[in-house]
Amino acid sequence: MFTRNALGITALRSTTLVLTALAMSAALAHAFELPNKINLSREQYLIVQQLYMGWAWLGLVVVGATVATLMLALTSRNEPRAFSGDLMAFVGVAASLVVFAIFTYPVNQATHNWTMTPDNWEALRRDWEYSHATAAGLDFVAFVALVVMLVRVK
C-alpha cells in the first residue's frame, strides 16, 4: 500500500512529467517548423508568425514545469538515483527559460511580437527560430531525464 508520502511523490512526478511534456511539445512545434520558415520572404514570415498569437500563455506551462522540476529535485535530493535525473530535468527546463529571456523575448519586443519587421528582421528571425530550437532541445533533455527517472526509481 502507498504511504501518504509515496502518493505525494507520485503526484509530483506525474505533474512534473505532464508540464514538461507540454512545454516540450510547444518548443518542438517551433523546431519542426524551422526548416520551412527560415527562408520565407518578409511578407510570408509575418503572415506565418500570426499563428502564434496567444502562445504567450504557454509561458505559464514552462514556468510551471520549472517550478515542478525544482520541487522534484529538492524532494529527491537525498535519493542519489533520482536526484541526478531530477536535477538534470530542472536544469534543462530552467535553461530553456534563460534562452527565452536572452534571445527570444528581445526579438519579440523588437518586432512587437512579429507585427512589424525592422531593417534587421532576418537576423532577428534567425535568433528567434534558433532560440526556439535550442529550447526544444533543452526541454527534450529534461523530459528524457524525467522518463529515465520514472523507469529507474520504482
Side-chain angles (χ1 to χ4, degrees):
M1 180 143 205
F2 282 112
T3 65
R4 174 173 275 165
N5 189 38
L7 287 174
I9 294 297
T10 299
L12 179 57
R13 284 199 179 282
S14 299
T15 300
T16 303
L17 187 64
V18 168
L19 287 170
T20 304
L22 289 171
M24 178 188 65
S25 66
L28 284 174
H30 286 299
F32 290 140
E33 294 165 348
L34 187 151
N36 294 315
K37 288 174 49 188
I38 198 69
N39 292 315
L40 293 176
S41 70
R42 177 188 300 238
E43 295 76 23
Q44 291 170 322
Y45 195 75
L46 271 179
I47 291 168
V48 169
Q49 287 300 94
Q50 300 315 301
L51 294 171
Y52 301 117
M53 288 182 136
W55 277 45
W57 289 103
L58 288 170
L60 296 174
V61 172
V62 179
V63 171
T66 305
V67 170
T69 55
L70 176 60
M71 289 174 54
L72 191 58
L74 292 173
T75 301
S76 68
R77 66 186 175 278
N78 294 324
E79 301 173 41
R81 287 178 54 117
F83 179 69
S84 60
D86 294 342
L87 181 62
M88 182 182 294
F90 167 68
V91 169
V93 176
S96 76
L97 269 178
V98 170
V99 168
F100 177 82
I102 293 173
F103 297 100
T104 313
Y105 183 74
V107 172
N108 288 342
Q109 294 300 295
T111 62
H112 300 268
N113 291 315
W114 292 104
T115 58
M116 54 85 69
T117 51
D119 290 340
N120 65 337
W121 77 274
E122 289 173 311
L124 293 170
R125 171 181 61 188
R126 184 187 62 246
D127 290 351
W128 195 89
E129 293 290 342
Y130 287 109
S131 68
H132 277 296
T134 301
L138 292 165
D139 287 338
F140 180 75
V141 167
F143 180 76
V144 169
L146 290 171
V147 170
V148 167
M149 285 307 98
L150 284 175
V151 171
R152 284 180 65 193
V153 179
K154 291 186 179 185

